[in-house]
């Protein structure tokens, strides 16, 4: 059984994001980049399924600039067997990524696709759902537990009211939530081994996919700074401020 794991290169979650002076986007020059945290969880889950004997091969996929090779090497250091880079300098929006992944799924024939529920840069939470729609496959989003047996996936997913358990036939699409697992640290020997694992590079044209952006970002702004808190003398003053100034009651 093959598992395909898409991974995205994003600004590291520890970095304070800065907006460009012309408000056209986020400044990523000389900024530390890393694998999207939700995708790290997806890689870890795929590797655990392989270690449990459920899967035979884990394939990591990334779409973007040449530096995405580093993200794929990280995935291979965690335990992925090989990597595929869809290299392009174009801005990739969720639909374009879903179309690229659809082409790769049709080419590789995995029984399971596990990816992060969203990327921390755009927070779109769209790619997994779009991929499932394009492939007409069952999907389970926000997974906090995944079990594979008898050609079916049983997925516990987090919803507003608590937990929901779905049973799906394979092949299927699963997107990961934070509580699915805790990703392991890549050890130095595994980092060295990852450098020798196969990494294939293709282009959107090779896959027959048009990745031209459908949406245009008009302006990016930082959120307004929070004003300082104030102390009140008593409950009456607090209620008055909540009613007259905050207008929440």
């Amino acid at each position: 059984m093959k598992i395909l794991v898409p991974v995205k290169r994003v600004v590291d979650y520890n970095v304070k994001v800065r907006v460009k002076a012309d408000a056209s986007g986020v400044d990523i020059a000389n900024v530390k980049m890393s694998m999207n945290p939700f995708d790290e969880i997806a890689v870890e889950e795929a590797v655990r399924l392989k270690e449990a004997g459920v899967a035979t091969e884990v394939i990591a996929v990334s779409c973007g600039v040449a530096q995405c090779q580093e993200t794929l090497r990280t995935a291979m250091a965690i335990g992925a067997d090989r990597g595929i880079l869809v290299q392009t300098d174009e801005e990739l929006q969720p639909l374009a990524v879903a179309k690229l992944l659809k082409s790769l799924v049709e080419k590789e024939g995995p029984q399971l696709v596990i990816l992060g529920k969203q990327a921390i840069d755009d927070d779109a939470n769209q790619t997994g759902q779009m991929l499932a729609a394009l492939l007409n496959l069952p999907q389970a989003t926000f997974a906090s537990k995944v079990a594979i047996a008898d050609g079916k996936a049983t997925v516990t997913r987090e919803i507003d009211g608590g937990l929901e358990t779905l049973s799906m036939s394979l092949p299927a699409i699963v997107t990961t939530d934070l509580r699915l697992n805790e990703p392991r640290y890549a050890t130095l020997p595994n980092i060295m081994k990852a450098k020798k694992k196969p990494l294939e590079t293709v282009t959107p044209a090779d896959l027959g996919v048009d990745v031209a952006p459908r949406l245009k970002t008009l302006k990016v702004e930082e959120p307004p700074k929070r004003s300082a808190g104030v102390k009140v003398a008593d409950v009456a003053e607090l209620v008055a401020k909540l009613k007259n100034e905050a207008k929440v009651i």
Side-chain angles (χ1 to χ4, degrees):
M1 173 173 141
K2 282 186 187 178
I3 301 179
L4 192 77
V5 187
V7 294
K8 186 176 184 181
R9 179 176 181 262
V10 299
V11 175
D12 189 89
Y13 65 91
N14 287 312
V15 172
K16 179 174 172 53
V17 175
R18 299 188 306 273
V19 175
K20 291 180 180 177
D22 61 0
S24 63
V26 171
D27 186 6
I28 59 171
N30 302 314
V31 170
K32 182 184 177 185
M33 308 291 282
S34 62
M35 188 191 302
N36 178 46
F38 289 103
D39 296 339
E40 278 190 85
I41 293 169
V43 175
E44 174 67 27
E45 191 64 21
V47 172
R48 290 188 185 187
L49 288 170
K50 183 188 172 189
E51 291 172 344
V54 175
T56 54
E57 186 180 28
V58 176
I59 308 163
V61 177
S62 192
C63 306
V65 295
Q67 290 89 332
C68 290
Q69 290 186 31
E70 301 165 11
T71 309
L72 288 170
R73 293 294 179 194
T74 301
M76 289 188 277
I78 293 172
D81 298 291
R82 58 188 172 98
I84 302 174
L85 171 61
V86 183
Q87 186 171 332
T88 176
D89 292 327
E90 289 271 355
E91 176 198 351
L92 291 177
Q93 294 175 350
L95 180 58
V97 175
K99 288 180 176 179
L100 292 170
L101 294 176
K102 173 181 180 284
S103 182
L104 288 173
V105 167
E106 291 172 342
K107 177 184 174 185
E108 294 289 341
Q111 282 71 51
L112 189 63
V113 180
I114 307 179
L115 64 161
K117 69 172 183 177
Q118 65 195 72
I120 62 171
D121 52 2
D122 58 15
D123 277 332
N125 180 21
Q126 295 173 340
T127 304
Q129 294 89 326
M130 287 178 169
L131 178 60
L134 291 171
L135 290 167
N136 194 27
L137 291 178
Q139 62 174 312
T141 55
F142 318 132
S144 60
K145 186 178 180 182
V146 177
I148 310 293
D150 302 323
K152 290 191 174 185
T154 303
V155 180
T156 302
R157 58 189 300 266
E158 300 193 356
I159 58 175
D160 289 342
L163 299 176
E164 177 183 60
T165 302
L166 301 177
S167 179
M168 310 179 296
S169 57
L170 299 177
I173 313 295
V174 174
T175 72
T176 64
D177 214 327
L178 280 173
R179 280 159 287 282
L180 179 59
N181 61 51
E182 185 173 339
R184 71 193 71 184
Y185 287 102
T187 62
L188 183 57
N190 286 339
I191 292 172
M192 300 308 292
K193 288 177 186 175
K195 293 180 179 180
K196 298 180 180 179
K197 290 183 178 179
L199 196 161
E200 178 187 358
T201 301
V202 297
T203 65
D206 295 334
L207 300 174
V209 177
D210 175 20
V211 296
R214 264 66 173 177
L215 305 173
K216 181 180 179 182
T217 301
L218 300 179
K219 190 177 182 183
V220 177
E221 293 180 337
E222 288 191 20
K225 292 183 178 178
R226 294 180 63 181
S227 56
V230 295
K231 290 184 178 181
V232 294
D234 51 35
V235 174
E237 186 182 352
L238 172 61
V239 171
K241 285 185 176 293
L242 290 174
K243 187 175 181 179
N244 302 323
E245 295 180 19
K247 299 188 185 300
V248 294
I249 60 173

